[in-house]
C-alpha cells in the first residue's frame, strides 16, 4: 500500500479537483481529505457518512465557583484577557494553563473541549476519511494525523493499493502532518508569480524531508512565460516535472455540477491530461 499526497504552496491551484479525478481513475484506494481547516473534497465525492467521531484538540480553563475566593490572581495572570467576572470566556481562552498554575486554592482546571469532528464515509469510488475543524480552533495538525491514521488503517483492512491524501495548502503544521511517511508528493502549481514563489517554498519542505516529489502546472496556458519560468526552476532543483494541464471550461462546468471532471467529460482536454499524469504517478511508484 502506497501513500500519495497532493499539495500546493498556495490555495486555489486545483489540488482538490485533481484528487477527485484521481479517485475516480483508481477506485482502489482510500481518499483522505486533510485540508481540515477548509475541506471541500466532499462536495465532489458526495460521501455517505458512516461514523462520526469527536475531536478533542484543545482545552479550556474552567473556574469552580464554589472554590473560588475571588482573589483575581488568575485574571491578572491571563495574557489573553479571557477571565472576567470570575468566569472564563471560552472564545478568548488559549488553554495555556497559567490560571491553573497561579490559583492559590486550586479553583481553576483545564477541561477538554470538542474542537471538531472526524468522519469515516463511503463514496461510490471507495472509502473516504475527512474532518471538520470548528471555527477558530487550533491543533489542525493533530486532526490531520488522525485522518491519516484512520485512512491507513482502512486501506490495510480492505487491502487497498493506495491512500490518496488531499493535503492542505501552504507550508504550515497541517502540511507537515500530511507529508509524514508518504511515498510520493505531487505538488500542484499555477502559472503566476505567487504560484512560483509558493512552489519554491513547498519544494524546499519536501526536499527537507527527503520525499520523492513530482510537479505539475495547472492551467499552464494562461501565462506561457510564467510556465517557462516554473519549468526552468524545477529543472534547476532536480524535481521531476510530470505535466501541464490546460485551461478547460469543461472543468468549470463539472465543478458547478459537483462532479469530478474525468467523470463528467472523460474526453475533455483537461481530463486527458489528468489521466496521463495519473499514469505517470503509477509508473513513478512502481
Amino acid at each position: 500500500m502506497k501513500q500519495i499526497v497532493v499539495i500546493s504552496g498556495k490555495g486555489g491551484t486545483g489540488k482538490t479537483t485533481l484528487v477527485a479525478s484521481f479517485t475516480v481513475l483508481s477506485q482502489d484506494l482510500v481518499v483522505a481529505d486533510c485540508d481540515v481547516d477548509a475541506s471541500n473534497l466532499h462536495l465532489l465525492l458526495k460521501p455517505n457518512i458512516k461514523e462520526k467521531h469527536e475531536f478533542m484538540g484543545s482545552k479550556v480553563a474552567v473556574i469552580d465557583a464554589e472554590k473560588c475566593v475571588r482573589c483575581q490572581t488568575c485574571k491578572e495572570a491571563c495574557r489573553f484577557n479571557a477571565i472576567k467576572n470570575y468566569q472564563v470566556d471560552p472564545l478568548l481562552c488559549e488553554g495555556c494553563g497559567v490560571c491553573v498554575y497561579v490559583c492559590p486554592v486550586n479553583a481553576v482546571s483545564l477541561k477538554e473541549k470538542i474542537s471538531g469532528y472526524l468522519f469515516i464515509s463511503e463514496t461510490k469510488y471507495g472509502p473516504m476519511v475527512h474532518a471538520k475543524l470548528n471555527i477558530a480552533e487550533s491543533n489542525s495538525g493533530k486532526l490531520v494525523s488522525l485522518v491519516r491514521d484512520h485512512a491507513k488503517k482502512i486501506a490495510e483492512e480492505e487491502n487497498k493499493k493506495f491512500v490518496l491524501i488531499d493535503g492542505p495548502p501552504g507550508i504550515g503544521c497541517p502540511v507537515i502532518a500530511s507529508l509524514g511517511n508518504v511515498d510520493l508528493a505531487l505538488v500542484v502549481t499555477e502559472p503566476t508569480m505567487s504560484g512560483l514563489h509558493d512552489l519554491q517554498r513547498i519544494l524546499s519542505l519536501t526536499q527537507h524531508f527527503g520525499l520523492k516529489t513530482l510537479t505539475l502546472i495547472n492551467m499552464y496556458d494562461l501565462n506561457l512565460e510564467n510556465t517557462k519560468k516554473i519549468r526552468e526552476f524545477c529543472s534547476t532543483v532536480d524535481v521531476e516535472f510530470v505535466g501541464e494541464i490546460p485551461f478547460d471550461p469543461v472543468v468549470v462546468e463539472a465543478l458547478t455540477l459537483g462532479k469530478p471532471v474525468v467523470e463528467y467529460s472523460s474526453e475533455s482536454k483537461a481530463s486527458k491530461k489528468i489521466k496521463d499524469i495519473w499514469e505517470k504517478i503509477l509508473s513513478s511508484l512502481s
Side-chain angles (χ1 to χ4, degrees):
M1 184 264 295
K2 302 289 187 180
Q3 297 192 64
I4 306 165
V5 61
V6 182
I7 50 176
S8 58
K10 63 182 293 296
T13 61
K15 171 176 55 62
T16 298
T17 302
L18 277 171
V19 169
S21 288
F22 290 159
T23 303
V24 174
L25 292 173
S26 174
Q27 296 195 27
D28 191 15
L29 52 74
V30 177
V31 63
D33 189 351
C34 288
D35 188 2
V36 298
D37 291 283
S39 59
N40 53 19
L41 184 58
H42 63 280
L43 298 176
L44 296 176
L45 299 186
K46 309 291 193 303
N48 180 24
I49 296 174
K50 301 294 185 181
E51 299 179 27
K52 179 179 179 181
H53 303 273
E54 295 177 346
F55 170 61
M56 303 293 186
S58 56
K59 297 181 179 181
V60 63
V62 177
I63 299 175
D64 187 333
E66 294 183 1
K67 292 183 179 179
C68 180
V69 293
R70 305 202 168 197
C71 65
Q72 301 206 63
T73 303
C74 57
K75 179 181 178 181
E76 294 168 0
C78 181
R79 298 182 62 181
F80 305 101
N81 298 316
I83 302 176
K84 298 176 182 178
N85 299 321
Y86 314 105
Q87 293 183 331
V88 177
D89 185 339
L91 295 179
L92 296 177
C93 178
E94 291 288 329
C96 68
V98 167
C99 52
V100 178
Y101 181 77
V102 301
C103 179
V105 294
N106 297 321
V108 190
S109 59
L110 290 178
K111 303 292 184 183
E112 287 189 326
K113 65 174 179 176
I114 299 174
S115 299
Y117 297 91
L118 181 144
F119 307 98
I120 298 175
S121 302
E122 190 67 34
T123 74
K124 67 179 181 178
Y125 319 102
M128 176 177 179
V129 184
H130 48 123
K132 180 181 179 181
L133 194 68
N134 290 342
I135 296 172
E137 291 294 346
S138 57
N139 283 324
S140 56
K142 182 178 179 181
L143 183 53
V144 167
S145 295
L146 288 175
V147 170
R148 290 196 55 197
D149 288 344
H150 280 79
K152 182 181 178 182
K153 181 180 178 182
I154 294 171
E156 291 172 342
E157 291 174 347
E158 299 189 13
N159 197 29
K160 298 291 186 180
K161 287 185 178 179
F162 306 105
V163 172
L164 179 61
I165 303 164
D166 184 6
I171 59 171
C173 178
V175 179
I176 294 172
S178 70
L179 291 176
N181 296 317
V182 299
D183 297 283
L184 185 145
L186 176 66
V187 181
V188 184
T189 190
E190 61 184 21
T192 63
M193 291 311 296
S194 61
L196 174 57
H197 174 264
D198 292 322
L199 173 66
Q200 293 169 341
R201 296 197 308 159
I202 193 67
L203 288 181
S204 67
L205 186 64
T206 61
Q207 289 175 343
H208 172 78
F209 288 108
L211 299 177
K212 182 177 181 62
T213 305
L214 308 178
T215 305
L216 68 85
I217 305 176
N218 192 22
M219 300 175 290
Y220 81 95
D221 47 348
L222 294 184
N223 192 315
L224 296 178
E225 181 180 351
N226 284 336
T227 291
K228 181 180 178 181
K229 290 179 181 178
I230 291 172
R231 293 200 65 144
E232 290 174 347
F233 170 73
C234 290
S235 178
T236 60
V237 297
D238 197 27
V239 172
E240 184 178 349
F241 193 84
V242 292
E244 299 169 342
I245 300 174
F247 174 77
D248 189 345
V250 171
V251 176
V252 180
E253 295 175 14
L255 295 179
T256 301
L257 296 173
K259 294 183 177 181
V261 62
V262 297
E263 183 180 57
Y264 175 71
S265 177
S266 62
E267 296 303 313
S268 69
K269 293 186 297 181
S271 292
K272 289 179 179 179
K273 291 301 295 185
I274 292 171
K275 291 176 184 177
D276 180 57
I277 289 168
W278 178 244
E279 290 300 321
K280 290 180 179 180
I281 291 172
L282 297 181
S283 177
S284 181
L285 286 171
S286 61

